[in-house]
Short mmCIF file of all heavy atoms in Angstrom, two decimals:
data_model
loop_
_atom_site.label_atom_id
_atom_site.label_comp_id
_atom_site.label_asym_id
_atom_site.label_seq_id
_atom_site.Cartn_x
_atom_site.Cartn_y
_atom_site.Cartn_z
N ALA A 139 -6.89 2.65 -8.42
CA ALA A 139 -7.53 1.50 -9.07
C ALA A 139 -7.29 0.20 -8.30
O ALA A 139 -7.70 -0.86 -8.76
CB ALA A 139 -7.01 1.36 -10.51
N GLY A 140 -6.65 0.29 -7.15
CA GLY A 140 -6.32 -0.91 -6.39
C GLY A 140 -7.49 -1.83 -6.11
O GLY A 140 -7.41 -3.04 -6.32
N ILE A 141 -8.59 -1.29 -5.68
CA ILE A 141 -9.75 -2.11 -5.38
C ILE A 141 -10.29 -2.77 -6.63
O ILE A 141 -10.78 -3.90 -6.60
CB ILE A 141 -10.84 -1.30 -4.63
CG1 ILE A 141 -11.89 -2.21 -4.03
CG2 ILE A 141 -11.45 -0.24 -5.51
CD1 ILE A 141 -11.40 -3.03 -2.88
N LEU A 142 -10.18 -2.09 -7.75
CA LEU A 142 -10.66 -2.65 -9.02
C LEU A 142 -9.72 -3.73 -9.56
O LEU A 142 -10.16 -4.65 -10.23
CB LEU A 142 -10.80 -1.54 -10.06
CG LEU A 142 -11.75 -0.40 -9.70
CD1 LEU A 142 -11.66 0.71 -10.74
CD2 LEU A 142 -13.17 -0.91 -9.56
N LEU A 143 -8.43 -3.59 -9.29
CA LEU A 143 -7.44 -4.52 -9.82
C LEU A 143 -7.03 -5.62 -8.84
O LEU A 143 -6.23 -6.48 -9.18
CB LEU A 143 -6.19 -3.74 -10.26
CG LEU A 143 -6.43 -2.73 -11.39
CD1 LEU A 143 -5.18 -1.91 -11.64
CD2 LEU A 143 -6.88 -3.44 -12.66
N ALA A 144 -7.58 -5.61 -7.64
CA ALA A 144 -7.18 -6.57 -6.62
C ALA A 144 -7.40 -8.01 -7.08
O ALA A 144 -6.52 -8.86 -6.90
CB ALA A 144 -7.92 -6.30 -5.32
N GLY A 145 -8.53 -8.31 -7.65
CA GLY A 145 -8.83 -9.68 -8.06
C GLY A 145 -7.87 -10.20 -9.11
O GLY A 145 -7.29 -11.27 -8.96
N ILE A 146 -7.67 -9.45 -10.18
CA ILE A 146 -6.81 -9.90 -11.26
C ILE A 146 -5.35 -9.93 -10.80
O ILE A 146 -4.57 -10.80 -11.20
CB ILE A 146 -6.98 -9.07 -12.56
CG1 ILE A 146 -6.27 -9.74 -13.73
CG2 ILE A 146 -6.52 -7.66 -12.36
CD1 ILE A 146 -6.79 -11.09 -14.12
N THR A 147 -4.97 -8.98 -9.94
CA THR A 147 -3.60 -9.00 -9.42
C THR A 147 -3.37 -10.26 -8.59
O THR A 147 -2.33 -10.90 -8.71
CB THR A 147 -3.33 -7.74 -8.57
OG1 THR A 147 -3.49 -6.59 -9.41
CG2 THR A 147 -1.92 -7.76 -7.99
N GLY A 148 -4.34 -10.65 -7.79
CA GLY A 148 -4.24 -11.89 -7.01
C GLY A 148 -4.09 -13.11 -7.90
O GLY A 148 -3.28 -14.00 -7.63
N VAL A 149 -4.86 -13.15 -8.97
CA VAL A 149 -4.76 -14.28 -9.92
C VAL A 149 -3.37 -14.30 -10.57
O VAL A 149 -2.74 -15.36 -10.66
CB VAL A 149 -5.86 -14.17 -11.00
CG1 VAL A 149 -5.61 -15.15 -12.14
CG2 VAL A 149 -7.23 -14.41 -10.38
N ILE A 150 -2.88 -13.14 -10.99
CA ILE A 150 -1.56 -13.07 -11.66
C ILE A 150 -0.46 -13.54 -10.71
O ILE A 150 0.38 -14.36 -11.07
CB ILE A 150 -1.30 -11.64 -12.17
CG1 ILE A 150 -2.20 -11.35 -13.38
CG2 ILE A 150 0.17 -11.46 -12.53
CD1 ILE A 150 -2.21 -9.89 -13.79
N VAL A 151 -0.45 -13.01 -9.49
CA VAL A 151 0.61 -13.39 -8.54
C VAL A 151 0.49 -14.86 -8.17
O VAL A 151 1.50 -15.56 -8.07
CB VAL A 151 0.57 -12.47 -7.29
CG1 VAL A 151 1.51 -12.97 -6.22
CG2 VAL A 151 0.92 -11.04 -7.69
N SER A 152 -0.70 -15.35 -8.01
CA SER A 152 -0.89 -16.78 -7.73
C SER A 152 -0.32 -17.64 -8.84
O SER A 152 0.37 -18.64 -8.60
CB SER A 152 -2.38 -17.07 -7.53
OG SER A 152 -2.61 -18.45 -7.42
N ARG A 153 -0.59 -17.26 -10.08
CA ARG A 153 -0.05 -18.01 -11.22
C ARG A 153 1.47 -17.96 -11.23
O ARG A 153 2.13 -18.97 -11.46
CB ARG A 153 -0.60 -17.47 -12.53
CG ARG A 153 -2.05 -17.82 -12.75
CD ARG A 153 -2.56 -17.22 -14.03
NE ARG A 153 -3.96 -17.58 -14.26
CZ ARG A 153 -4.70 -17.07 -15.22
NH1 ARG A 153 -4.20 -16.17 -16.05
NH2 ARG A 153 -5.94 -17.45 -15.35
N LEU A 154 2.03 -16.79 -11.00
CA LEU A 154 3.49 -16.66 -10.98
C LEU A 154 4.10 -17.55 -9.90
O LEU A 154 5.11 -18.22 -10.13
CB LEU A 154 3.89 -15.20 -10.74
CG LEU A 154 3.64 -14.23 -11.87
CD1 LEU A 154 3.86 -12.81 -11.39
CD2 LEU A 154 4.53 -14.53 -13.07
N MET A 155 3.50 -17.57 -8.74
CA MET A 155 4.05 -18.33 -7.61
C MET A 155 3.96 -19.83 -7.84
O MET A 155 4.75 -20.59 -7.27
CB MET A 155 3.34 -17.94 -6.33
CG MET A 155 3.62 -16.50 -5.91
SD MET A 155 2.67 -15.98 -4.49
CE MET A 155 3.74 -16.57 -3.19
N THR A 156 3.03 -20.27 -8.67
CA THR A 156 2.89 -21.70 -8.94
C THR A 156 3.52 -22.10 -10.27
O THR A 156 3.38 -23.24 -10.72
CB THR A 156 1.39 -22.11 -8.93
OG1 THR A 156 0.69 -21.35 -9.91
CG2 THR A 156 0.79 -21.91 -7.54
N GLY A 157 4.22 -21.14 -10.90
CA GLY A 157 4.93 -21.45 -12.13
C GLY A 157 4.08 -21.42 -13.39
O GLY A 157 4.55 -21.80 -14.47
N GLU A 158 2.86 -20.97 -13.28
CA GLU A 158 1.98 -20.87 -14.46
C GLU A 158 2.24 -19.54 -15.18
O GLU A 158 2.65 -18.56 -14.55
CB GLU A 158 0.51 -20.89 -14.02
CG GLU A 158 0.07 -22.17 -13.37
CD GLU A 158 -1.38 -22.05 -12.92
OE1 GLU A 158 -2.24 -21.73 -13.77
OE2 GLU A 158 -1.64 -22.24 -11.72
#
Side-chain angles (χ1 to χ4, degrees):
I141 193 70
L142 301 172
L143 298 174
I146 191 63
T147 299
V149 169
I150 289 169
V151 172
S152 173
R153 287 178 179 172
L154 290 170
M155 294 175 85
T156 58
E158 296 177 56

